[in-house]
């Protein structure tokens, strides 16, 4: 895959401003005087920059907002993007400023006059995150993006600070590509192949095929894929950058490459969005990519259950009873509640095999989660306050909305089955919490665990600050930071 953005870092060169033929970005602190680059642009443009900065529109500009001077006289540039950004900008407004640059630039080459700005690396990260289009299946109008040159007073320092950020942005783009990809392209086999390709980054990647899954007893996971011509798979990605033989953190993802609902078929309206039902697996894969690219000093294992939920003469029926690897029997009331059947086996396997220090699972698990929190927050369910707070803090720091949701015995009781140990749905009330309680059954007594229901945040219908509409990559940055803050050795 291509890099999230290619930037060359160079020393500030004011003479480059007059001759740049693409766009020029310059930063203005509304409380302070214009910096050198802004003064140069003002002079070249015969005062146009100052008139903009003193205008009513600019008075209303919030940190990170951009205003355009189009085809300024006296310059070769198509436009100057004048960005309101305080010298002491916080991380979020610096990233927003970078994202504004990415939105404005289109196919143009770009000269960014970051000068001495303290948050230049965050500006670059915002640029990288927003510099994303999913145009793999467009035959026309593909932007061939021009070069980006970022000019700073200490370009080596800015480049050093930006490099790990770009690793994370590449992880985010990888997740978005997987989530946006249609299901006839991203079959279980294609998904596994793309993960195997990450061995070149230093990850160890194992693919467990159906015969192996059957031997392990993963009857719940396998029951979901019975109706599909695509074989079910579990892919295990190992990143061992930490202390030798130290237990890893485990990340587990739901990878339903398409969810028709199975025999409990979904209605046609909106079913096309179920190409994103591998979003949890997509995030796990993006985090593993980011950790490998930035050579994180941590041991992390990522496991994804890849299946396709289709109706057919061989598909699981409502009323069927299946046996999970843990041994529990499950009455499948609704074949559309398939994500939990996939996760329960992969989660059990992850704990048995790796004895992880903690386990985080991610899944586009329930429509009820979307009803509860919409598209601004993912739901976090946990049996361990300290572990959960590690995640919530990291998510807040990365501006990825997350909100703690309840578990409880009452929800677990909704899953009692007449004929088996448990059933796979708990009725309408608290659908996200009953789903979480289903998974909880498969979590060991002392295992710190967080379940993230990302049904509402994996894909959005309108663009956000950091992503165009479509897949967001929500969670990659938070989990990367959680690893950096708590699981790395010095
Ligand atoms: N993949 C869906 C959940 C989903 C819904 C994700 C909307 C993203 C957007 C999941 O497999 C599902 O179908 N869940 C059912 C569970 C129900 C049958 C208990 C649901 O939420 O309706
Ligand atoms: Mn479903
Ligand atoms: Zn699903």
């Amino acid at each position: 895959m291509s890099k999230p953005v290619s930037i060359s870092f160079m020393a500030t060169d004011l003479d480059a401003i007059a001759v740049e033929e693409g766009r020029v970005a310059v930063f203005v602190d509304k409380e302070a005087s214009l910096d050198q680059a802004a003064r140069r642009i003002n002079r070249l443009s015969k005062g146009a920059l100052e008139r903009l900065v003193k205008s009513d529109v600019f008075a209303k500009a919030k940190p990170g907002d951009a205003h355009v001077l189009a085809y300024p006289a006296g310059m070769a540039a198509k436009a100057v993007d004048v960005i309101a950004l305080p010298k002491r900008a916080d991380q979020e407004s610096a990233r927003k400023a970078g994202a504004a640059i990415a939105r404005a630039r289109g196919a143009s080459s770009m000269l960014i006059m970051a000068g001495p700005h303290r948050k230049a690396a965050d500006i670059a990260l915002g640029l990288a995150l927003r510099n994303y289009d999913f145009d793999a299946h467009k035959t026309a109008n593909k932007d061939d993006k021009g070069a980006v040159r970022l000019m700073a007073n200490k370009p080596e320092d800015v480049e050093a600070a930006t490099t790990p950020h770009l690793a994370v942005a590449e992880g985010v783009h990888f997740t978005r590509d997987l989530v946006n990809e249609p299901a006839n392209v991203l079959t279980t086999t294609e998904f596994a192949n793309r993960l195997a390709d990450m061995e070149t980054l230093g990850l160890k990647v194992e693919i467990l095929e159906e015969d192996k899954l059957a031997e392990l007893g993963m009857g719940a996971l396998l029951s979901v894929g019975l109706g599909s011509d695509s074989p079910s798979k579990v892919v295990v990605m190992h990143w061992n950058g930490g202390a030798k033989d130290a237990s890893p953190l485990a990340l587990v993802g739901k990878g339903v490459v398409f969810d028709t609902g199975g025999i409990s078929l979904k209605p046609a309206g909106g079913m096309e969005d179920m190409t994103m039902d591998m979003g949890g697996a997509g995030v796990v894969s993006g985090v593993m990519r980011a950790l490998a690219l930035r050579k994180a000093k941590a041991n992390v294992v990522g496991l994804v259950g890849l299946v396709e939920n289709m109706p057919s003469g061989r598909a699981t029926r409502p009323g069927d009873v299946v046996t999970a690897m843990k041994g529990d029997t499950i009455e499948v009331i609704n074949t559309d509640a398939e994500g939990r059947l996939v996760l329960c086996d992969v989660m059990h396997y992850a704990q048995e095999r790796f004895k992880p220090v903690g386990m985080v699972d991610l899944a586009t698990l329930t429509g009820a989660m979307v009803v509860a929190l919409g598209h601004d927050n993912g739901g976090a369910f946990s049996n361990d306050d300290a572990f959960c707070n590690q995640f919530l803090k990291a998510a807040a720091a990365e501006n990825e909305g997350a909100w703690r949701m309840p578990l409880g015995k009452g929800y677990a009781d909704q899953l009692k089955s007449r004929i088996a140990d448990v059933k796979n749905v708990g009725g309408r009330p608290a659908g996200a919490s009953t789903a979480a309680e289903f998974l909880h059954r498969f979590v060991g007594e002392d295992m710190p665990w967080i379940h993230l229901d990302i049904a509402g945040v994996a894909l959005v219908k309108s663009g956000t600050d950091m992503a165009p509409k479509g897949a967001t990559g929500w969670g990659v940055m938070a989990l990367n930071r959680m690893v950096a803050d708590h699981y790395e050795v010095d």
Side-chain angles (χ1 to χ4, degrees), residues 254 259 261 266 274 277 309 335-339 365:
K254 167 180 172 180
D259 182 13
K266 286 182 182 294
M274 285 301 122
D277 210 21
N309 189 19
T335 63
D336 197 12
E338 84 297 341
L365 202 62

Side-chain angles (χ1 to χ4, degrees), residues 171-179 186 191 195 198 237 252-256 276-289 303-304 306 362 454 473-474 476:
V172 171
H173 284 204
F174 186 60
T175 302
R176 289 179 188 166
D177 279 353
L178 291 167
V179 172
L186 195 75
F191 199 147
L195 300 184
M198 291 206 293
M237 294 164 271
V252 177
K254 167 180 172 180
V256 177
M276 57 75 105
D277 210 21
M278 34 53 68
V283 173
V284 170
S285 307
V287 174
M288 297 310 293
R289 188 177 191 97
L303 301 97
V304 295
L306 306 179
L362 295 105
I454 63 169
W474 182 99
V476 173

Side-chain angles (χ1 to χ4, degrees), residues 19 21 40 89 132 177 189 192 218 233 258 264 292 335 356 383 475 483:
V19 295
E21 291 178 356
R40 171 66 64 98
Y132 180 83
D177 279 353
T189 302
M218 293 200 190
K233 293 170 197 277
F258 196 78
S264 313
T335 63
N383 60 354
V483 170

Side-chain angles (χ1 to χ4, degrees), residues 24 30 40 52-53 109 124 172 209 213 216 234 390 397 400 435:
V24 178
K30 296 208 275 186
R40 171 66 64 98
L52 170 64
V53 168
S109 69
V172 171
E209 304 289 353
L213 303 179
L216 287 164
V234 170
Q390 289 178 0
E400 292 183 320

Side-chain angles (χ1 to χ4, degrees), residues 190-382:
E190 171 66 14
F191 199 147
N193 288 345
R194 291 192 191 185
L195 300 184
D197 285 347
M198 291 206 293
E199 291 220 317
T200 56
L201 304 177
L203 287 156
K204 196 176 119 209
V205 181
E206 279 173 86
I207 302 175
L208 312 186
E209 304 289 353
E210 278 181 355
D211 49 353
K212 177 69 182 170
L213 303 179
E215 194 186 304
L216 287 164
M218 293 200 190
L221 181 144
L222 286 168
S223 76
V224 177
L226 289 178
S228 172
D229 286 346
S230 291
S232 299
K233 293 170 197 277
V234 170
V235 180
V236 186
M237 294 164 271
H238 307 251
W239 176 252
N240 293 318
K244 197 170 180 306
D245 300 328
S247 301
L249 178 70
L251 307 177
V252 177
K254 167 180 172 180
V256 177
V257 294
F258 196 78
D259 182 13
T260 64
I263 298 298
S264 313
L265 196 63
K266 286 182 182 294
M271 200 204 278
E272 68 279 9
D273 285 344
M274 285 301 122
T275 56
M276 57 75 105
D277 210 21
M278 34 53 68
V283 173
V284 170
S285 307
V287 174
M288 297 310 293
R289 188 177 191 97
L291 295 176
L293 284 168
R294 70 173 183 81
K295 303 204 168 20
K297 293 192 170 87
N299 296 339
V300 181
V301 61
L303 301 97
V304 295
L306 306 179
V307 304
E308 185 179 40
N309 189 19
M310 297 286 270
S312 97
R314 285 181 308 278
T316 298
R317 292 159 287 257
D320 285 0
V321 173
V322 300
T323 305
M325 181 181 172
K326 185 182 167 214
D328 296 18
T329 57
I330 304 163
E331 183 186 10
V332 179
I333 300 293
N334 189 320
T335 63
D336 197 12
E338 84 297 341
R340 61 199 79 183
L341 300 175
V342 175
L343 284 172
C344 72
D345 276 343
V346 184
M347 286 165 58
H348 183 74
Y349 177 70
Q351 295 168 89
E352 287 269 286
R353 179 166 166 201
F354 297 107
K355 309 275 182 275
V357 290
M359 176 169 67
V360 183
D361 80 80
L362 295 105
T364 49
L365 202 62
T366 67
M369 194 75 259
V370 190
V371 173
L373 297 180
H375 303 292
D376 294 315
N377 285 284
F381 303 76
S382 181

